[in-house]
Amino acid sequence: MNLVAPFPYFGGKSRAASLVWEAFGDVANYVEPFAGSAAMLLAAPEGKRIETINDADGFIANFWRAVAQDPDSVAHHADWPCSEVDLEARHAWLVNRAERLRWQLEDPDFFDAKIAGWWCWGACNWIGSGWCEGTGPHHTNGTRIFDSRKLPHLGNAGRGINRKLPHLGDAGQGINRQLPHLGNAGQGEHPRSAYIREWMMKLAERLRDVRVTCGDWKRVVKDSVTTRHGLTGLFLDPPYTKGAMNYAAGGVGTELPLHVQAWCRDNGDNPLLRIALCGHAGEHDALLDADWFTGTWTARKGYAASAEAVQNSKDETVWFSPHCIRADAGQQRMFA
């Protein structure tokens, strides 16, 4: 099983990973300004490189920092049964700490394992968008959230840390394998607890040397973070210009992707940058006349089975800067 985020995330790009990394090739530096589920980082091929991920959402940045530094504590706080009353209470508690968390994360060594675990647990039980956004049909009075939303996710399939029990190690028979005794857990530890703990430990191992920042995307596309460290793969996945699902801080339908597109146009000819920009079909075609090229892939449809959702999943496109490796580059060299 490939290592993935232990929470569902709308807009994740795990299915596009092979397409992107083939275009990046062997880079010395990797930067992901809109990390989200960090799917592209977690799917990176083995190799020695400097790696930086960033997200404007404090809950996301805090999760990745916390699981890298204290996976055992994150697992402890994420390990809790599905409960509607706890979901409401924890949602209120988290939303009312969002602003403070955001400025605390300006300290590069700060993280909060309890917030990370509760946020991850809630993301796995919440249906639809709006988890910890503090907007929409749920309202806070400064102490608690009054919520008229749907029930938490109670289905048998589950999601994220609540789904079936795959084994994350390299031995055994996946979900049929008897989970081993892990860490400091007692012999009576519940298999679910052992599973969550192992998942967090695997993530911590992968994230050990990854730098995690929280803030505006422009902070991590500067030369000091990118080309100063050599050939850089830069994966840009801003919220799209259209769609109904808010899967990133700021949501969809803003001018943010156009600002990102403008930056790409200004910097795409840098030979030390290999840039991948994500969007729906046609969204960033203005870059094509600057020698950019595209690749397509099919995303998961999520909850919605509407015609728009199906079409959007088919319209997923990645625009690659001129110095990325084209899929037909090997054939071109053979016949040169």
Side-chain angles (χ1 to χ4, degrees), residues 197-224:
R197 189 185 307 278
E198 184 182 16
W199 197 334
M200 299 302 177
M201 292 296 182
K202 288 291 183 181
L203 286 171
E205 181 181 348
R206 173 63 183 88
L207 293 164
R208 178 171 179 171
D209 297 320
V210 177
R211 301 181 295 180
V212 182
T213 64
C214 180
D216 186 77
W217 67 279
K218 291 182 179 178
R219 298 169 63 224
V220 292
V221 295
K222 297 178 180 178
D223 293 348
S224 59

CSV table of all heavy atoms in Angstrom, one decimal, residues 197-224:
chain,number,residue,atom,x,y,z
A,197,ARG,N,-1.7,3.9,15.1
A,197,ARG,CA,-0.3,4.2,15.6
A,197,ARG,C,0.7,3.9,14.5
A,197,ARG,O,1.6,4.7,14.3
A,197,ARG,CB,0.0,3.4,16.9
A,197,ARG,CG,1.3,3.8,17.6
A,197,ARG,CD,1.5,2.9,18.7
A,197,ARG,NE,0.4,2.8,19.6
A,197,ARG,CZ,0.1,3.7,20.6
A,197,ARG,NH1,0.9,4.8,20.7
A,197,ARG,NH2,-0.9,3.6,21.4
A,198,GLU,N,0.6,2.8,13.9
A,198,GLU,CA,1.5,2.4,12.9
A,198,GLU,C,1.5,3.4,11.7
A,198,GLU,O,2.5,3.7,11.1
A,198,GLU,CB,1.2,1.0,12.3
A,198,GLU,CG,2.3,0.5,11.3
A,198,GLU,CD,1.9,-0.9,10.8
A,198,GLU,OE1,0.8,-1.4,10.9
A,198,GLU,OE2,2.8,-1.5,10.2
A,199,TRP,N,0.3,3.8,11.3
A,199,TRP,CA,0.2,4.7,10.2
A,199,TRP,C,0.9,6.0,10.5
A,199,TRP,O,1.7,6.5,9.7
A,199,TRP,CB,-1.3,5.0,10.0
A,199,TRP,CG,-1.7,5.6,8.6
A,199,TRP,CD1,-0.8,6.4,7.8
A,199,TRP,CD2,-2.9,5.5,7.9
A,199,TRP,NE1,-1.5,6.8,6.7
A,199,TRP,CE2,-2.8,6.3,6.7
A,199,TRP,CE3,-4.1,4.9,8.2
A,199,TRP,CZ2,-3.8,6.4,5.8
A,199,TRP,CZ3,-5.1,5.1,7.3
A,199,TRP,CH2,-5.0,5.8,6.1
A,200,MET,N,0.7,6.5,11.7
A,200,MET,CA,1.3,7.8,12.1
A,200,MET,C,2.9,7.6,12.2
A,200,MET,O,3.6,8.5,11.8
A,200,MET,CB,0.8,8.3,13.5
A,200,MET,CG,-0.7,8.6,13.5
A,200,MET,SD,-1.2,9.8,12.3
A,200,MET,CE,-3.0,9.9,12.5
A,201,MET,N,3.3,6.5,12.6
A,201,MET,CA,4.8,6.2,12.7
A,201,MET,C,5.4,6.2,11.3
A,201,MET,O,6.5,6.7,11.1
A,201,MET,CB,5.0,4.9,13.4
A,201,MET,CG,4.7,4.9,14.9
A,201,MET,SD,5.7,6.1,15.8
A,201,MET,CE,5.1,5.8,17.5
A,202,LYS,N,4.7,5.6,10.4
A,202,LYS,CA,5.2,5.5,9.0
A,202,LYS,C,5.2,6.9,8.4
A,202,LYS,O,6.2,7.3,7.7
A,202,LYS,CB,4.3,4.6,8.1
A,202,LYS,CG,4.4,3.2,8.4
A,202,LYS,CD,5.7,2.6,8.0
A,202,LYS,CE,5.8,1.1,8.2
A,202,LYS,NZ,7.1,0.5,7.8
A,203,LEU,N,4.2,7.7,8.7
A,203,LEU,CA,4.2,9.1,8.2
A,203,LEU,C,5.4,9.9,8.8
A,203,LEU,O,6.1,10.7,8.1
A,203,LEU,CB,2.9,9.8,8.5
A,203,LEU,CG,1.7,9.4,7.6
A,203,LEU,CD1,0.4,10.0,8.2
A,203,LEU,CD2,1.9,9.8,6.2
A,204,ALA,N,5.6,9.7,10.1
A,204,ALA,CA,6.7,10.4,10.8
A,204,ALA,C,8.1,10.1,10.2
A,204,ALA,O,8.9,10.9,10.0
A,204,ALA,CB,6.7,10.1,12.3
A,205,GLU,N,8.2,8.8,9.8
A,205,GLU,CA,9.5,8.4,9.2
A,205,GLU,C,9.7,9.0,7.9
A,205,GLU,O,10.8,9.5,7.5
A,205,GLU,CB,9.4,6.8,9.0
A,205,GLU,CG,10.7,6.2,8.4
A,205,GLU,CD,10.6,4.7,8.3
A,205,GLU,OE1,9.6,4.1,8.8
A,205,GLU,OE2,11.4,4.2,7.6
A,206,ARG,N,8.6,9.1,7.1
A,206,ARG,CA,8.7,9.8,5.8
A,206,ARG,C,8.9,11.3,5.9
A,206,ARG,O,9.7,11.9,5.1
A,206,ARG,CB,7.4,9.5,5.0
A,206,ARG,CG,7.3,10.3,3.6
A,206,ARG,CD,8.4,9.8,2.7
A,206,ARG,NE,8.4,10.6,1.5
A,206,ARG,CZ,9.0,11.7,1.3
A,206,ARG,NH1,9.7,12.3,2.3
A,206,ARG,NH2,9.0,12.3,0.1
A,207,LEU,N,8.3,11.9,6.9
A,207,LEU,CA,8.4,13.4,7.0
A,207,LEU,C,9.5,13.9,7.8
A,207,LEU,O,9.6,15.1,8.1
A,207,LEU,CB,7.1,13.9,7.6
A,207,LEU,CG,5.8,13.7,6.8
A,207,LEU,CD1,4.6,13.8,7.7
A,207,LEU,CD2,5.8,14.7,5.7
A,208,ARG,N,10.4,13.0,8.3
A,208,ARG,CA,11.5,13.4,9.2
A,208,ARG,C,12.2,14.6,8.8
A,208,ARG,O,12.5,15.5,9.6
A,208,ARG,CB,12.4,12.2,9.4
A,208,ARG,CG,13.6,12.5,10.3
A,208,ARG,CD,14.4,11.3,10.6
A,208,ARG,NE,15.5,11.6,11.5
A,208,ARG,CZ,16.3,10.8,12.1
A,208,ARG,NH1,16.1,9.5,11.9
A,208,ARG,NH2,17.3,11.1,12.9
A,209,ASP,N,12.6,14.7,7.5
A,209,ASP,CA,13.4,15.8,7.1
A,209,ASP,C,12.7,16.9,6.2
A,209,ASP,O,13.3,17.7,5.6
A,209,ASP,CB,14.6,15.3,6.3
A,209,ASP,CG,15.6,14.5,7.1
A,209,ASP,OD1,15.8,14.8,8.3
A,209,ASP,OD2,16.0,13.4,6.6
A,210,VAL,N,11.3,16.7,6.2
A,210,VAL,CA,10.5,17.6,5.4
A,210,VAL,C,10.2,18.9,6.2
A,210,VAL,O,9.8,18.9,7.3
A,210,VAL,CB,9.2,17.0,5.0
A,210,VAL,CG1,8.3,18.0,4.2
A,210,VAL,CG2,9.4,15.7,4.1
A,211,ARG,N,10.4,20.1,5.5
A,211,ARG,CA,10.1,21.3,6.2
A,211,ARG,C,8.7,21.7,5.9
A,211,ARG,O,8.2,21.7,4.8
A,211,ARG,CB,11.0,22.4,5.6
A,211,ARG,CG,12.5,22.1,5.8
A,211,ARG,CD,13.4,23.2,5.3
A,211,ARG,NE,13.3,23.4,3.8
A,211,ARG,CZ,14.0,24.3,3.1
A,211,ARG,NH1,14.8,25.1,3.7
A,211,ARG,NH2,13.9,24.3,1.8
A,212,VAL,N,7.9,22.0,7.0
A,212,VAL,CA,6.5,22.3,6.9
A,212,VAL,C,6.3,23.7,7.3
A,212,VAL,O,6.6,24.1,8.5
A,212,VAL,CB,5.7,21.4,7.8
A,212,VAL,CG1,4.2,21.7,7.6
A,212,VAL,CG2,6.0,19.9,7.4
A,213,THR,N,5.7,24.6,6.4
A,213,THR,CA,5.5,26.0,6.7
A,213,THR,C,4.0,26.2,6.6
A,213,THR,O,3.2,25.5,6.0
A,213,THR,CB,6.2,26.9,5.8
A,213,THR,OG1,5.8,26.7,4.4
A,213,THR,CG2,7.7,26.6,5.9
A,214,CYS,N,3.5,27.3,7.2
A,214,CYS,CA,2.1,27.7,7.1
A,214,CYS,C,2.0,29.2,6.7
A,214,CYS,O,2.5,30.0,7.5
A,214,CYS,CB,1.5,27.5,8.5
A,214,CYS,SG,-0.3,27.9,8.5
A,215,GLY,N,1.4,29.5,5.6
A,215,GLY,CA,1.3,30.9,5.2
A,215,GLY,C,1.0,31.0,3.7
A,215,GLY,O,0.6,30.0,3.1
A,216,ASP,N,1.1,32.2,3.2
A,216,ASP,CA,0.8,32.5,1.8
A,216,ASP,C,1.8,31.7,0.9
A,216,ASP,O,2.9,31.6,1.2
A,216,ASP,CB,0.9,34.0,1.6
A,216,ASP,CG,0.5,34.4,0.2
A,216,ASP,OD1,-0.7,34.4,-0.1
A,216,ASP,OD2,1.4,34.6,-0.7
A,217,TRP,N,1.2,31.2,-0.2
A,217,TRP,CA,2.0,30.4,-1.1
A,217,TRP,C,3.2,31.2,-1.7
A,217,TRP,O,4.2,30.5,-2.0
A,217,TRP,CB,1.1,30.0,-2.3
A,217,TRP,CG,0.6,31.1,-3.2
A,217,TRP,CD1,-0.4,31.9,-3.0
A,217,TRP,CD2,1.2,31.5,-4.5
A,217,TRP,NE1,-0.5,32.8,-4.0
A,217,TRP,CE2,0.4,32.6,-4.9
A,217,TRP,CE3,2.3,31.0,-5.2
A,217,TRP,CZ2,0.7,33.2,-6.2
A,217,TRP,CZ3,2.6,31.6,-6.4
A,217,TRP,CH2,1.8,32.7,-6.9
A,218,LYS,N,3.1,32.5,-1.8
A,218,LYS,CA,4.2,33.2,-2.4
A,218,LYS,C,5.5,33.2,-1.6
A,218,LYS,O,6.6,33.4,-2.1
A,218,LYS,CB,3.8,34.7,-2.6
A,218,LYS,CG,2.8,34.9,-3.7
A,218,LYS,CD,2.4,36.3,-3.9
A,218,LYS,CE,1.4,36.5,-5.0
A,218,LYS,NZ,1.1,38.0,-5.2
A,219,ARG,N,5.4,32.9,-0.3
A,219,ARG,CA,6.5,32.8,0.6
A,219,ARG,C,7.4,31.7,0.2
A,219,ARG,O,8.7,31.7,0.5
A,219,ARG,CB,6.1,32.7,2.0
A,219,ARG,CG,5.3,33.8,2.5
A,219,ARG,CD,4.6,33.5,3.9
A,219,ARG,NE,5.6,33.3,4.9
A,219,ARG,CZ,5.6,32.3,5.8
A,219,ARG,NH1,4.6,31.4,5.8
A,219,ARG,NH2,6.5,32.2,6.7
A,220,VAL,N,6.9,30.6,-0.4
A,220,VAL,CA,7.7,29.4,-0.6
A,220,VAL,C,8.0,29.2,-2.1
A,220,VAL,O,8.5,28.1,-2.5
A,220,VAL,CB,7.1,28.1,0.0
A,220,VAL,CG1,7.1,28.2,1.5
A,220,VAL,CG2,5.7,27.9,-0.6
A,221,VAL,N,7.8,30.2,-2.9
A,221,VAL,CA,8.2,30.1,-4.3
A,221,VAL,C,9.3,31.1,-4.6
A,221,VAL,O,9.7,31.3,-5.8
A,221,VAL,CB,7.0,30.4,-5.3
A,221,VAL,CG1,6.0,29.3,-5.2
A,221,VAL,CG2,6.4,31.7,-5.1
A,222,LYS,N,9.9,31.7,-3.6
A,222,LYS,CA,11.0,32.6,-3.7
A,222,LYS,C,12.3,31.8,-4.0
A,222,LYS,O,12.4,30.6,-3.7
A,222,LYS,CB,11.2,33.5,-2.5
A,222,LYS,CG,10.0,34.4,-2.2
A,222,LYS,CD,10.2,35.2,-0.9
A,222,LYS,CE,9.0,36.1,-0.6
A,222,LYS,NZ,9.2,36.8,0.7
A,223,ASP,N,13.3,32.5,-4.6
A,223,ASP,CA,14.5,31.8,-4.9
A,223,ASP,C,15.2,31.2,-3.7
A,223,ASP,O,15.8,30.1,-3.8
A,223,ASP,CB,15.5,32.9,-5.5
A,223,ASP,CG,15.1,33.4,-6.8
A,223,ASP,OD1,14.2,32.8,-7.4
A,223,ASP,OD2,15.7,34.4,-7.3
A,224,SER,N,15.0,31.8,-2.5
A,224,SER,CA,15.6,31.2,-1.3
A,224,SER,C,15.1,29.8,-0.9
A,224,SER,O,15.8,29.1,-0.2
A,224,SER,CB,15.4,32.2,-0.1
A,224,SER,OG,14.0,32.4,0.1
